Amino acid sequence: MLSLALASTLLLGLAACGGGAKETQGNAGSIETGGAEAKAPDKKITITFQNIFPDPTDPKHQIMNKLVKQYEAENPNIKIELDSLNTDQQKLKLKTQAASKEVPDITVVNPAAQMKPFVEANLFAPLNDMLEVNGLKDTFQEGLLDWYSFDGSIYALPDGNNIGVVYYNKELFEQAGVEVPGTFEEMLEAVKALKSKGITPIAIGEKDTWTGSFLFMNMLLRTNGPGFLSDVLENKKTFEDPAFIEAVDAFQSLVAAGAFQEGATSFDYNAGENLFKTGKTAMYYMGSWATGGIETSSVDGKVGVFKFPTINGKGDPNEFMLAPGSAFAISADSKHLQETKDFLNYFMLNFPKETFEAKGAVGIGQIVEGDFKAAGYSDMAMEVLDLFKEVKGGDLAFDNTMNPGTAQAHLSSIQNLFVQKKDSAEVAQEHQTAYEANNN
């Protein structure tokens, strides 16, 4: 049900493209309710803004810096201090900061299960009051904010709402004489054909462990269909279910075929993606948020997309990994709570327009006004937008569903498969043991 609800959210957001809420330019102004009192205009303050946009070539990095500079120019007494990290670095740093109750003024968190411990520890400020200012709440796709809500309060604002897709380099496919695979078995044959031509088949940044998990979960979505983790949580299934073992088998067959670049676990997210963006690999499985960065890279015009295929005849390609995005949360203990809310209000109000103009609006979580094709978005971007129309459901990422202890065991277990082959039943048992240890 949750997957179908999110799929509906994706579809509603896409339908709204070209005729949604108006973006508001300019300073958001002070928010009257629910924050600290505004400081005197001449009081110099610094707002710490932790983010996951460290790559200077990523449109979101450029948009962030542009909006920060604009805001500082309009508010000379405010300095926005950026702390730009890759995803796994940011998650680890936030855990340390949370333990010492030194959460940055603005930080990044993922929805549902990943947010829950922070909310329960009262580390994040409710944002309901700020969302009512300047019509900000109405800029988000319908239902999306529910993934960041607990007990009637909204604690974070997402920058995206995405699906998992396979990007492929058409030129490299042609060099190897391979076609877009319609089945996993054909995908394995394509991997072997690419390898025989000296072409690395698939790029991945597995130093950031969530990347391998995201790919694996798409395989589990095929072997089981949606809802496997929900069934585990409801004691209807265990991780030793045949569908889970079959997914591990499929994943290991990719590794064994040499699908990924040498030393995949030493490449972080940006380094892995850059292999594809510079034409060094033929495929890249990632969330649709990668579209903007690929579109502004050297392979622009050479890239197409396809749905992850069936495995052993199982699964529906129109069921996708669903990814309500990482989101911005504000520290409940911020010394500048009001000013931080003012800035985040300004940032999110301007985000859709700036992202659209920077060719990075495919998969953002807010309503976008404008004609993507007329604005010069690539054929690849239009293909991704068309895939959104075909979403019938799917699953959330493992670490957005399971508690942090079980999720960490899973991430480590999948990462280990890049280094050594293991009996798939043993991998399943590892998961089940971790689940039982963290749910007793």
Side-chain angles (χ1 to χ4, degrees):
M1 291 177 65
L2 291 172
S3 297
L4 289 172
L6 182 57
S8 299
T9 298
L10 287 163
L11 292 171
L12 286 165
L14 184 64
C17 291
K22 304 288 184 185
E23 285 89 1
T24 303
Q25 298 293 316
N27 193 339
S30 182
I31 300 167
E32 297 287 318
T33 58
E37 293 182 5
K39 305 293 183 185
D42 59 350
K43 176 74 172 178
K44 299 290 185 180
I45 67 169
T46 298
I47 293 171
T48 53
F49 184 7
Q50 192 174 83
N51 64 85
I52 53 171
F53 306 144
D55 183 358
T57 66
D58 190 318
K60 287 183 178 178
H61 174 93
Q62 298 160 14
I63 292 158
M64 173 184 68
N65 279 274
K66 179 180 179 180
L67 291 176
V68 164
K69 288 176 182 175
Q70 284 180 188
Y71 194 80
E72 289 177 335
E74 295 173 19
N75 300 270
N77 62 307
I78 294 177
K79 168 70 176 173
I80 310 296
E81 185 177 277
L82 297 174
D83 182 20
S84 302
L85 307 163
N86 68 39
T87 304
D88 274 14
Q89 287 174 335
Q90 187 272 331
K91 286 181 180 179
L92 183 61
K93 187 170 183 177
L94 180 58
K95 285 180 183 177
T96 303
Q97 291 167 327
S100 59
K101 294 192 177 294
E102 295 178 350
V103 175
D105 295 305
I106 300 173
T107 189
V108 176
V109 70
N110 283 308
Q114 285 198 53
M115 277 187 68
K116 191 176 181 182
F118 297 98
V119 173
E120 290 178 342
N122 298 315
L123 293 173
F124 294 157
L127 302 179
N128 300 51
D129 59 331
M130 185 259 274
L131 277 161
E132 298 302 327
V133 176
N134 298 322
L136 178 59
K137 188 175 184 180
D138 293 334
T139 71
F140 288 91
Q141 295 170 13
E142 185 176 344
L144 181 58
L145 293 175
D146 293 347
W147 298 95
Y148 310 87
S149 302
F150 296 85
D151 298 325
S153 292
I154 299 166
Y155 289 92
L157 306 183
D159 64 0
N161 194 16
N162 292 273
I163 55 175
V165 301
V166 185
Y167 298 91
Y168 74 101
N169 187 311
K170 296 177 182 179
E171 284 189 356
L172 296 182
F173 265 45
E174 186 176 346
Q175 286 178 29
V178 299
E179 302 289 335
V180 172
T183 68
F184 183 69
E185 295 70 33
E186 290 174 358
M187 192 173 188
L188 281 174
E189 290 304 312
V191 163
K192 294 171 185 175
L194 288 159
K195 286 280 288 183
S196 72
K197 296 292 185 179
I199 300 168
T200 301
I202 304 174
I204 195 166
E206 184 52 16
K207 186 177 181 181
D208 293 3
T209 51
W210 64 269
T211 57
S213 169
F214 196 51
L215 173 59
F216 169 78
M217 286 299 296
N218 206 146
M219 295 182 172
L220 180 59
L221 178 60
R222 293 292 176 265
T223 59
N224 181 83
F228 180 86
L229 296 183
S230 298
D231 285 345
V232 171
L233 288 168
E234 294 172 12
N235 296 317
K236 296 177 181 177
K237 287 187 175 181
T238 72
F239 283 102
E240 295 171 287
D241 186 271
F244 189 87
I245 293 172
E246 186 177 9
V248 177
D249 283 335
F251 189 88
Q252 293 206 94
S253 68
L254 264 187
V255 177
F260 306 101
Q261 78 271 18
E262 192 73 27
T265 58
S266 65
F267 287 73
D268 66 14
Y269 171 80
N270 291 319
E273 184 168 290
N274 282 334
L275 288 176
F276 182 77
K277 287 161 64 174
T278 54
K280 294 185 175 72
T281 65
M283 288 179 278
Y284 181 48
Y285 175 77
M286 190 44 62
S288 50
W289 60 76
T291 302
I294 293 171
E295 192 168 25
T296 55
S297 73
S298 63
V299 294
D300 181 36
K302 304 175 184 178
V303 177
V305 294
F306 62 90
K307 306 167 188 175
F308 198 88
T310 59
I311 295 178
N312 298 325
K314 298 176 182 178
D316 182 347
N318 288 323
E319 291 170 343
F320 293 79
M321 286 305 296
L322 307 170
S326 55
F328 299 113
I330 292 177
S331 170
D333 296 323
S334 171
K335 295 177 181 177
H336 311 294
L337 184 57
Q338 187 60 62
E339 292 87 350
T340 303
K341 285 184 176 183
D342 289 348
F343 166 69
L344 188 56
N345 182 279
Y346 172 93
F347 185 90
M348 297 307 297
L349 279 169
N350 287 277
F351 191 72
K353 179 179 181 294
E354 294 293 340
T355 308
F356 180 72
E357 291 178 355
K359 303 287 195 304
V362 174
I364 72 167
Q366 289 166 279
I367 296 165
V368 178
E369 288 192 9
D371 185 324
F372 284 80
K373 189 67 176 175
Y377 278 69
S378 67
D379 291 341
M380 181 258 304
M382 301 309 295
E383 285 182 52
V384 175
L385 289 170
D386 284 340
L387 291 184
F388 275 93
K389 300 173 186 176
E390 300 180 35
V391 176
K392 290 183 178 178
D395 276 333
L396 291 183
F398 193 104
D399 51 359
N400 287 342
T401 308
M402 287 288 175
N403 64 55
T406 306
Q408 188 53 57
H410 159 76
L411 294 170
S412 297
S413 180
I414 297 301
Q415 186 186 53
N416 287 338
L417 299 182
F418 285 87
V419 180
Q420 64 178 30
K421 180 174 173 56
K422 296 189 71 172
D423 181 74
S424 295
E426 185 182 343
V427 175
Q429 188 179 47
E430 284 177 358
H431 280 73
Q432 186 61 26
T433 300
Y435 173 74
E436 290 173 359
N438 285 280
N439 285 274
N440 287 332

